[in-house]
Every structure is written in structure tokens, then in C-alpha cells.
Amino acid sequence: MPKSKGLYTYFMGYLSIGFANKVGVTFIPRIDPLALLSNMQIPEWGIDWLKQEQVALMAALFAH
């Protein structure tokens, strides 16, 4: 039994590090702008720029 408990502890540690990395790399960068911009008043030129950002991103993807 001690070997399986050691393996289980190692596996859970490895899993938790992988989960923490996934949260740090994917979840936080997606939530931070939402949290920061939700309380801000964006000027009209900023809204126009954000509308064009989607077109620029798709054009860059298709050009590649």
C-alpha cells in the first residue's frame, strides 16, 4: 500500500500543478480584461476601434 499512496500523491501533485498552470495561463488573461473594463466608461473612439479589432484578427488569420 505505501507505494500506491506515494504514486497517488505524486499524481495528484502533478495534476494540481497542471491545473494551476491552466488557470494561470488561460483563465486569468480572459477574466482580467472583463473585470477591468466592466466598470470603465469607454469613449466612442475606443468602441469603434474594438469593433474593427475582430475584422483585423480574422484578416490576419486568413492571411497566414
Side-chain angles (χ1 to χ4, degrees):
M1 285 293 186
K3 286 185 179 181
S4 63
K5 185 176 181 185
L7 183 62
Y8 176 76
T9 304
Y10 177 75
F11 176 72
M12 291 307 287
Y14 185 74
L15 189 66
S16 64
I17 289 171
F19 181 71
N21 186 25
K22 188 169 200 83
V23 168
V25 171
T26 60
F27 185 69
I28 292 173
R30 292 179 185 181
I31 294 299
D32 278 348
L34 180 65
L36 292 174
L37 294 176
S38 65
N39 295 330
M40 290 179 60
Q41 191 73 298
I42 301 173
E44 189 64 34
W45 60 267
I47 302 236
D48 290 338
W49 180 77
L50 287 172
K51 288 178 184 175
Q52 297 303 318
E53 186 178 0
Q54 296 173 357
V55 175
L57 178 64
M58 290 305 292
L61 287 172
F62 284 130
H64 182 64

